Amino acid sequence: MAVSSAGIPQHWRTIKERYRLLGAHCERCGSNYFPPRNVCPRCRRRGKMAQVEFSGKGKVYSYTVVNASSKAFEQYMPYVVALVELDEGPRVLSQIVDCKPEEVKIGMEVEACFRKIFEQEDGGIISYGFKFRPSDGSWACRETGQRSS
Amino acid sequence: MKDLAWEAGVKAVEEAGISGKDIECIVFGNMSGGLFVGQEHVAALVADFLGLNSVPATRVEAACASGGAAFLQAYMAVASGMYDIVVAGGVEKMTDVGAGQATSILSGAMDYEWEAYFGATFPSVYALMARRYMHEHGLKPETLAKVAVKNHYHGSLNPLAHFRNRITEDEALSSPIVADPLRRYDCCPVSDGAACAILAPLEVARKYTDAPIRVRAVAQASDTLSLLGRGDLCTLRATVKAAGRAFEEANLGREEVDVVEVHDCFTIAELLALEDLGFCKKGEAWKLYDEGQTYVGGKLPVNTDGGLKAGGHAVGATGIKQVVEVVRQLRGEAENGRQVDGAEVGLTHNVGGTGATAVVAILSR
Ligand SMILES: [Zn+2]
């Protein structure tokens, strides 16, 4: 199956980017890219790419609530999938967590957090990466049972 | 899978009035025989099963646009002068696996590492486009429902459609949510199917028929595999590019097109397609639906075979299935009252993934 049978080498190759939101920055034109690219599509051979770690802060550009998923994600349903526009420009696709699905809106400010993404069946490897949560700190109040004002 | 391809192949050969030994080349679209039924090397299998063992046979894969991409390759094989009679086909056998696994296999048409890995499903990425479109252009859920109702109506007139039941707007609007704002009736089904078309130079085709259908243009374009690098989420740039080239090559205007087959894998995709193909302005496709202009008898009949939604979406076959419907329309052979009066020019639009591939073909009498 497409999602859950990917081997360890395939996961290993993208761990840095998935764990730390590492992208590419073109030193010639200033464009930022995520996922990282080897060549700047604007500058092509003239561009000079360098690694950059994004702040993890951004806004929801679009979102949906998933009610039918592949098997690996069934336990999380219904869950929010969003395109998040990072403050540095690039967009990333991610789940939005630590809030109710109906609280998510276009333009909502969010921040990256590190989470489990899915587990392979039969005790296979566990995949980690970023998810995003509201950056107003409401998730912290929810965890301690307090109400934010 | 081979039985489906065989049935379509034999019918196409019979209808064209050619004999199997006239066939010089086979190009077959198929997205994932390997994951759906454990079978790769699909084109050679089809050639074998059709009893055409020595004929060169190649599979073309471009996800849901595999059929359209195969059509372009077959067109090029004829246009180059290398072959005279070429089969352009497509096949997919999708229902041997369960719904969850089909969802998973289809998610391979997106970017695995940066979309599917994080929990995105195929409906969910189109839902991201739909949500953004609502935000930017004020789309109402009722318009999406109208797309599904129309396609089910056309499907009810097509004996080969997957679904032949008619539905109401209320049924569409109250069906279960798959990926908000898309509901069950916004999504095409998982289908089994095959389709074939025979291509030949015009002078060769005239030996077999008095009324050959002319391929005026076929154009294909690509875009980013994922939605991450798209910029405008409400436009499929590959469709815009392919349509621009196809209309230029055909030397025809949008107003000259009488019937259109577009890639409505989701209802939102049909609206985007009509805008990106240039039939209306961005954000204004809803007007055509409010006025009922996309029905047979309207100004711009769209998906007269029921589209992907009701006609069915056997992914590798879809691009060819669209060509078959347009050929039927241009020959005046569409059954059950779904014939567009005096149709002279038709267009097909086949999309792979979320718009990483688009193929547009223009055909005429
Ligand atoms: Zn650059």
Side-chain angles (χ1 to χ4, degrees), chain A residues 2-3 6 10-11 14 17-18 34-35 61-65 67-68 73 79 81 91 95 106 117-118 127-128 130, chain B residues 100-101 103-104 112-121 124 127-128 131-132 135-136 177-180 228 231 233:
Chain A
V3 165
Q10 191 177 8
H11 284 283
T14 46
E17 293 87 346
R18 278 190 190 133
F34 189 89
Y61 184 77
S62 190
Y63 69 96
T64 179
V65 186
N67 282 291
F73 292 93
Y79 60 90
V81 161
R91 291 185 197 142
Q95 291 181 35
I106 287 177
I117 306 292
F118 63 89
S127 301
Y128 296 93
F130 51 78
Chain B
Q101 200 174 352
T103 300
S104 180
Y112 169 73
E113 288 182 346
W114 303 107
E115 293 182 323
Y117 177 94
F118 291 96
T121 59
S124 74
L128 291 174
R131 171 80 63 200
R132 190 68 201 182
H135 181 75
E136 289 184 22
I177 287 176
V178 173
D180 185 40
L228 274 58
L233 262 197

Side-chain angles (χ1 to χ4, degrees), chain A residues 45-64:
Chain A
R45 268 167 51 190
R46 288 189 193 154
K48 189 162 180 288
M49 292 298 233
Q51 196 175 65
V52 58
E53 183 167 350
F54 296 121
S55 64
K57 298 215 176 296
K59 289 195 178 82
V60 172
Y61 184 77
S62 190
Y63 69 96
T64 179

Side-chain angles (χ1 to χ4, degrees), chain B residues 2-317:
Chain B
K2 59 185 188 295
D3 294 313
L4 290 167
W6 176 81
E7 192 183 334
V10 167
K11 281 185 178 156
V13 166
E14 278 175 2
E15 209 177 303
I18 61 173
S19 110
K21 64 180 191 311
D22 298 327
I23 294 169
E24 293 170 282
C25 173
I26 296 172
V27 189
F28 242 76
N30 177 258
M31 176 181 165
S32 199
L35 292 173
F36 282 119
V37 292
Q39 180 66 59
E40 310 287 11
H41 213 171
V42 171
L45 177 72
V46 170
D48 179 8
F49 212 60
L50 281 168
L52 302 169
N53 293 53
S54 67
V55 175
T58 306
R59 162 189 172 177
V60 172
E61 190 272 309
C64 325
S66 298
F71 191 69
L72 173 61
Q73 295 303 315
Y75 174 71
M76 281 161 55
V78 171
S80 73
M82 190 154 176
Y83 300 114
D84 271 350
I85 296 188
V86 177
V87 174
V91 65
E92 210 76 56
K93 176 84 185 90
M94 303 171 73
T95 60
D96 283 1
V97 300
Q101 200 174 352
T103 300
S104 180
I105 294 169
L106 290 170
S107 71
M110 308 185 291
D111 189 314
Y112 169 73
E113 288 182 346
W114 303 107
E115 293 182 323
Y117 177 94
F118 291 96
T121 59
F122 216 57
S124 74
V125 281
Y126 271 91
L128 291 174
M129 293 188 227
R131 171 80 63 200
R132 190 68 201 182
Y133 189 102
M134 286 176 162
H135 181 75
E136 289 184 22
H137 303 290
L139 171 73
K140 288 187 247 157
E142 287 77 12
T143 304
L144 295 178
K146 283 187 169 80
V147 175
V149 170
K150 183 265 297 171
N151 285 340
H152 269 264
Y153 172 77
H154 285 159
S156 76
L157 307 175
N158 175 10
L160 295 178
H162 185 150
F163 293 123
R164 301 203 57 202
N165 62 314
R166 296 181 189 179
I167 60 163
T168 64
E169 230 175 283
D170 283 346
E171 283 174 295
L173 289 169
S174 59
S175 63
I177 287 176
V178 173
D180 185 40
L182 300 181
R183 294 170 181 272
R184 181 179 292 160
Y185 277 121
D186 290 305
C187 309
C188 69
V190 164
S191 310
D192 299 337
C196 280
I198 314 278
L199 284 88
L202 205 51
E203 62 273 19
V204 174
R206 287 216 170 94
K207 287 186 209 161
Y208 298 96
T209 172
D210 295 333
I213 298 303
R214 293 195 287 164
V215 180
R216 300 290 293 269
V218 190
Q220 181 175 332
S222 309
D223 198 353
T224 58
L225 193 67
S226 77
L227 292 184
L228 274 58
R230 282 292 169 86
D232 178 6
L233 262 197
C234 306
T235 301
L236 265 54
R237 289 182 298 205
T239 297
V240 174
K241 278 269 161 62
R245 263 185 249 150
F247 276 104
E248 199 181 310
E249 194 184 317
N251 198 20
L252 289 166
R254 268 68 172 179
E255 69 290 349
E256 291 175 89
V257 176
D258 302 305
V259 58
V260 182
E261 284 282 303
V262 302
H263 197 93
D264 62 312
C265 47
F266 301 93
T267 48
I268 180 67
E270 183 164 317
L271 302 177
L272 297 179
L274 294 181
E275 295 168 353
D276 296 339
L277 289 165
F279 290 110
C280 56
K281 282 193 196 140
K282 184 53 64 186
E284 295 188 358
W286 64 272
K287 288 183 187 168
L288 291 165
Y289 291 84
D290 263 21
E291 296 165 5
Q293 300 291 4
T294 56
Y295 281 86
V296 170
K299 260 194 297 193
L300 184 69
V302 177
N303 290 338
T304 52
D305 62 346
L308 281 57
K309 173 68 201 78
H313 185 27
V315 285

Side-chain angles (χ1 to χ4, degrees), chain A residues 32 65 90 114 120 132:
Chain A
N32 291 317
V65 186
F114 182 75
Q120 285 188 353
F132 281 73

